[in-house]
Amino acid sequence: MIASITAPSQANYTNRQYNNPDDILARRGILRQAQAMGWKYSAGVWNYPVYDDSGEQLTYRTKNTNSDAKYKYTWKPSKNGAKYYHDTRIRIAIGKADGMLFVANGEPSVLAYHASGIYNVLSWFGEGAMPSTIADDFAELQVKHVIYIPDNDNAGRNSAVKLRDALHNTDIQLTVKDISSYVAHKADTNDLWIACDFDPTRYKNSIQAMPQLILPTYDPPKPKPVYNLIPTDNTEA
């Protein structure tokens, strides 16, 4: 089940000239959603608030408009315990969706889901930065089923394996979708939103029809070696 909330219109954002930083978001079909989530541009970066799952603001995160910048993302003033990026109504959205949660690969993809009307979605801050507490965090949010569409590259597939392993031996069902037939190499669900011409029905139907991604067989973690730290006395009496 998808928790839908009426999404702001994308009208007038598909055929126009792009002369300011906000137009980068408009081209990706997520400008209105970014504005709704408090994104503001200043001095070469977007600044936006990050909330906890109760809707309380934790901190600000910045995203550099220059994708080649040394520091693409920074925290203002600090991370302050932030783990996930999501709407302030994430708990309500998960409840409306009967425990279903979509996992996105980053903030722009979260906004793409929002643009289609899907609000039961979150991301963490970088595919390689999955919180170690994710299984407990999802259980606390009363998540029953996770749907993850990783980026169409090896990093995305590796992140899917990590998520699968983290949710192993829990009651949370995981479905990993294969986006490769829908978008180019290295593309993501924001690119899928663009490919669907910002049409919520096409976007949701594409997700629904997307095949599952075949992952390597689960390899349980090897037990840590146990060392005898008690000195032994081998001398004979």
Side-chain angles (χ1 to χ4, degrees), residues 219-236:
D219 184 16
K222 295 178 174 57
K224 296 180 180 180
V226 177
Y227 299 99
N228 183 3
L229 301 181
I230 301 174
T232 58
D233 185 358
N234 294 323
T235 59
E236 296 183 0

PDB file of all heavy atoms in Angstrom, residues 219-236:
ATOM      1  N   ASP A 219      25.030 -14.371   3.259  1.00  0.00           N
ATOM      2  CA  ASP A 219      26.245 -14.931   3.853  1.00  0.00           C
ATOM      3  C   ASP A 219      26.298 -14.478   5.312  1.00  0.00           C
ATOM      4  O   ASP A 219      26.625 -13.320   5.587  1.00  0.00           O
ATOM      5  CB  ASP A 219      27.474 -14.440   3.091  1.00  0.00           C
ATOM      6  CG  ASP A 219      28.759 -15.068   3.603  1.00  0.00           C
ATOM      7  OD1 ASP A 219      28.671 -16.086   4.326  1.00  0.00           O
ATOM      8  OD2 ASP A 219      29.845 -14.549   3.286  1.00  0.00           O
ATOM      9  N   PRO A 220      25.925 -15.352   6.238  1.00  0.00           N
ATOM     10  CA  PRO A 220      25.883 -14.920   7.637  1.00  0.00           C
ATOM     11  C   PRO A 220      27.255 -14.460   8.122  1.00  0.00           C
ATOM     12  O   PRO A 220      28.284 -14.989   7.687  1.00  0.00           O
ATOM     13  CB  PRO A 220      25.419 -16.173   8.388  1.00  0.00           C
ATOM     14  CG  PRO A 220      25.714 -17.309   7.472  1.00  0.00           C
ATOM     15  CD  PRO A 220      25.597 -16.777   6.078  1.00  0.00           C
ATOM     16  N   PRO A 221      27.280 -13.465   8.978  1.00  0.00           N
ATOM     17  CA  PRO A 221      28.571 -12.987   9.490  1.00  0.00           C
ATOM     18  C   PRO A 221      29.287 -14.071  10.266  1.00  0.00           C
ATOM     19  O   PRO A 221      28.667 -14.864  10.974  1.00  0.00           O
ATOM     20  CB  PRO A 221      28.173 -11.812  10.393  1.00  0.00           C
ATOM     21  CG  PRO A 221      26.734 -12.048  10.735  1.00  0.00           C
ATOM     22  CD  PRO A 221      26.135 -12.742   9.557  1.00  0.00           C
ATOM     23  N   LYS A 222      30.581 -14.118  10.076  1.00  0.00           N
ATOM     24  CA  LYS A 222      31.377 -15.124  10.777  1.00  0.00           C
ATOM     25  C   LYS A 222      31.514 -14.739  12.248  1.00  0.00           C
ATOM     26  O   LYS A 222      31.677 -13.564  12.585  1.00  0.00           O
ATOM     27  CB  LYS A 222      32.747 -15.239  10.123  1.00  0.00           C
ATOM     28  CG  LYS A 222      32.683 -15.760   8.694  1.00  0.00           C
ATOM     29  CD  LYS A 222      34.057 -15.798   8.069  1.00  0.00           C
ATOM     30  CE  LYS A 222      33.995 -16.447   6.691  1.00  0.00           C
ATOM     31  NZ  LYS A 222      33.053 -15.774   5.791  1.00  0.00           N
ATOM     32  N   PRO A 223      31.419 -15.715  13.138  1.00  0.00           N
ATOM     33  CA  PRO A 223      31.555 -15.397  14.569  1.00  0.00           C
ATOM     34  C   PRO A 223      32.939 -14.843  14.884  1.00  0.00           C
ATOM     35  O   PRO A 223      33.936 -15.237  14.275  1.00  0.00           O
ATOM     36  CB  PRO A 223      31.335 -16.761  15.247  1.00  0.00           C
ATOM     37  CG  PRO A 223      31.625 -17.781  14.188  1.00  0.00           C
ATOM     38  CD  PRO A 223      31.232 -17.153  12.882  1.00  0.00           C
ATOM     39  N   LYS A 224      32.968 -13.906  15.797  1.00  0.00           N
ATOM     40  CA  LYS A 224      34.237 -13.326  16.192  1.00  0.00           C
ATOM     41  C   LYS A 224      35.037 -14.342  17.009  1.00  0.00           C
ATOM     42  O   LYS A 224      34.475 -15.079  17.817  1.00  0.00           O
ATOM     43  CB  LYS A 224      34.006 -12.067  17.016  1.00  0.00           C
ATOM     44  CG  LYS A 224      33.329 -10.951  16.224  1.00  0.00           C
ATOM     45  CD  LYS A 224      33.130  -9.719  17.102  1.00  0.00           C
ATOM     46  CE  LYS A 224      32.462  -8.614  16.300  1.00  0.00           C
ATOM     47  NZ  LYS A 224      32.241  -7.393  17.126  1.00  0.00           N
ATOM     48  N   PRO A 225      36.335 -14.389  16.775  1.00  0.00           N
ATOM     49  CA  PRO A 225      37.143 -15.347  17.545  1.00  0.00           C
ATOM     50  C   PRO A 225      37.138 -15.008  19.026  1.00  0.00           C
ATOM     51  O   PRO A 225      37.059 -13.843  19.418  1.00  0.00           O
ATOM     52  CB  PRO A 225      38.549 -15.185  16.941  1.00  0.00           C
ATOM     53  CG  PRO A 225      38.550 -13.817  16.324  1.00  0.00           C
ATOM     54  CD  PRO A 225      37.147 -13.582  15.843  1.00  0.00           C
ATOM     55  N   VAL A 226      37.163 -16.041  19.837  1.00  0.00           N
ATOM     56  CA  VAL A 226      37.199 -15.868  21.297  1.00  0.00           C
ATOM     57  C   VAL A 226      38.607 -16.190  21.775  1.00  0.00           C
ATOM     58  O   VAL A 226      39.139 -17.266  21.480  1.00  0.00           O
ATOM     59  CB  VAL A 226      36.177 -16.794  21.991  1.00  0.00           C
ATOM     60  CG1 VAL A 226      36.286 -16.647  23.502  1.00  0.00           C
ATOM     61  CG2 VAL A 226      34.771 -16.478  21.504  1.00  0.00           C
ATOM     62  N   TYR A 227      39.195 -15.265  22.475  1.00  0.00           N
ATOM     63  CA  TYR A 227      40.565 -15.458  22.967  1.00  0.00           C
ATOM     64  C   TYR A 227      40.542 -15.698  24.477  1.00  0.00           C
ATOM     65  O   TYR A 227      39.773 -15.067  25.214  1.00  0.00           O
ATOM     66  CB  TYR A 227      41.416 -14.220  22.656  1.00  0.00           C
ATOM     67  CG  TYR A 227      41.532 -13.927  21.181  1.00  0.00           C
ATOM     68  CD1 TYR A 227      40.729 -12.960  20.591  1.00  0.00           C
ATOM     69  CD2 TYR A 227      42.427 -14.632  20.373  1.00  0.00           C
ATOM     70  CE1 TYR A 227      40.824 -12.685  19.237  1.00  0.00           C
ATOM     71  CE2 TYR A 227      42.525 -14.371  19.020  1.00  0.00           C
ATOM     72  CZ  TYR A 227      41.721 -13.396  18.457  1.00  0.00           C
ATOM     73  OH  TYR A 227      41.825 -13.138  17.113  1.00  0.00           O
ATOM     74  N   ASN A 228      41.378 -16.610  24.906  1.00  0.00           N
ATOM     75  CA  ASN A 228      41.527 -16.871  26.336  1.00  0.00           C
ATOM     76  C   ASN A 228      42.522 -15.860  26.905  1.00  0.00           C
ATOM     77  O   ASN A 228      43.716 -15.925  26.637  1.00  0.00           O
ATOM     78  CB  ASN A 228      42.039 -18.300  26.543  1.00  0.00           C
ATOM     79  CG  ASN A 228      42.133 -18.652  28.018  1.00  0.00           C
ATOM     80  OD1 ASN A 228      41.765 -17.838  28.871  1.00  0.00           O
ATOM     81  ND2 ASN A 228      42.614 -19.844  28.316  1.00  0.00           N
ATOM     82  N   LEU A 229      41.990 -14.927  27.665  1.00  0.00           N
ATOM     83  CA  LEU A 229      42.832 -13.866  28.210  1.00  0.00           C
ATOM     84  C   LEU A 229      43.360 -14.192  29.604  1.00  0.00           C
ATOM     85  O   LEU A 229      44.056 -13.393  30.214  1.00  0.00           O
ATOM     86  CB  LEU A 229      42.044 -12.555  28.253  1.00  0.00           C
ATOM     87  CG  LEU A 229      41.517 -12.071  26.891  1.00  0.00           C
ATOM     88  CD1 LEU A 229      40.766 -10.753  27.076  1.00  0.00           C
ATOM     89  CD2 LEU A 229      42.665 -11.889  25.911  1.00  0.00           C
ATOM     90  N   ILE A 230      43.005 -15.394  30.111  1.00  0.00           N
ATOM     91  CA  ILE A 230      43.477 -15.780  31.437  1.00  0.00           C
ATOM     92  C   ILE A 230      44.825 -16.484  31.281  1.00  0.00           C
ATOM     93  O   ILE A 230      44.929 -17.484  30.555  1.00  0.00           O
ATOM     94  CB  ILE A 230      42.471 -16.719  32.124  1.00  0.00           C
ATOM     95  CG1 ILE A 230      41.106 -16.022  32.249  1.00  0.00           C
ATOM     96  CG2 ILE A 230      43.000 -17.152  33.489  1.00  0.00           C
ATOM     97  CD1 ILE A 230      40.029 -16.926  32.789  1.00  0.00           C
ATOM     98  N   PRO A 231      45.859 -15.956  31.907  1.00  0.00           N
ATOM     99  CA  PRO A 231      47.183 -16.608  31.754  1.00  0.00           C
ATOM    100  C   PRO A 231      47.166 -18.021  32.326  1.00  0.00           C
ATOM    101  O   PRO A 231      46.501 -18.301  33.318  1.00  0.00           O
ATOM    102  CB  PRO A 231      48.120 -15.678  32.540  1.00  0.00           C
ATOM    103  CG  PRO A 231      47.227 -14.946  33.502  1.00  0.00           C
ATOM    104  CD  PRO A 231      45.900 -14.803  32.800  1.00  0.00           C
ATOM    105  N   THR A 232      47.852 -18.903  31.658  1.00  0.00           N
ATOM    106  CA  THR A 232      47.941 -20.280  32.135  1.00  0.00           C
ATOM    107  C   THR A 232      49.351 -20.551  32.669  1.00  0.00           C
ATOM    108  O   THR A 232      50.327 -20.008  32.170  1.00  0.00           O
ATOM    109  CB  THR A 232      47.610 -21.265  31.007  1.00  0.00           C
ATOM    110  OG1 THR A 232      48.517 -21.032  29.918  1.00  0.00           O
ATOM    111  CG2 THR A 232      46.178 -21.067  30.527  1.00  0.00           C
ATOM    112  N   ASP A 233      49.392 -21.419  33.636  1.00  0.00           N
ATOM    113  CA  ASP A 233      50.676 -21.791  34.215  1.00  0.00           C
ATOM    114  C   ASP A 233      50.958 -23.226  33.822  1.00  0.00           C
ATOM    115  O   ASP A 233      50.302 -24.162  34.285  1.00  0.00           O
ATOM    116  CB  ASP A 233      50.620 -21.636  35.733  1.00  0.00           C
ATOM    117  CG  ASP A 233      51.963 -21.904  36.382  1.00  0.00           C
ATOM    118  OD1 ASP A 233      52.924 -22.255  35.636  1.00  0.00           O
ATOM    119  OD2 ASP A 233      52.047 -21.765  37.609  1.00  0.00           O
ATOM    120  N   ASN A 234      51.921 -23.431  32.946  1.00  0.00           N
ATOM    121  CA  ASN A 234      52.225 -24.760  32.442  1.00  0.00           C
ATOM    122  C   ASN A 234      53.333 -25.442  33.217  1.00  0.00           C
ATOM    123  O   ASN A 234      53.779 -26.536  32.859  1.00  0.00           O
ATOM    124  CB  ASN A 234      52.606 -24.684  30.962  1.00  0.00           C
ATOM    125  CG  ASN A 234      51.447 -24.253  30.095  1.00  0.00           C
ATOM    126  OD1 ASN A 234      50.306 -24.647  30.355  1.00  0.00           O
ATOM    127  ND2 ASN A 234      51.734 -23.469  29.053  1.00  0.00           N
ATOM    128  N   THR A 235      53.808 -24.789  34.287  1.00  0.00           N
ATOM    129  CA  THR A 235      54.898 -25.412  35.041  1.00  0.00           C
ATOM    130  C   THR A 235      54.364 -26.558  35.876  1.00  0.00           C
ATOM    131  O   THR A 235      53.241 -26.496  36.403  1.00  0.00           O
ATOM    132  CB  THR A 235      55.545 -24.374  35.967  1.00  0.00           C
ATOM    133  OG1 THR A 235      54.564 -23.850  36.853  1.00  0.00           O
ATOM    134  CG2 THR A 235      56.156 -23.239  35.148  1.00  0.00           C
ATOM    135  N   GLU A 236      55.106 -27.621  35.957  1.00  0.00           N
ATOM    136  CA  GLU A 236      54.694 -28.770  36.748  1.00  0.00           C
ATOM    137  C   GLU A 236      55.034 -28.554  38.221  1.00  0.00           C
ATOM    138  O   GLU A 236      56.040 -27.958  38.557  1.00  0.00           O
ATOM    139  CB  GLU A 236      55.408 -30.028  36.242  1.00  0.00           C
ATOM    140  CG  GLU A 236      55.010 -30.394  34.812  1.00  0.00           C
ATOM    141  CD  GLU A 236      55.686 -31.676  34.379  1.00  0.00           C
ATOM    142  OE1 GLU A 236      56.447 -32.240  35.205  1.00  0.00           O
ATOM    143  OE2 GLU A 236      55.489 -32.095  33.237  1.00  0.00           O
TER     144      GLU A 236
END
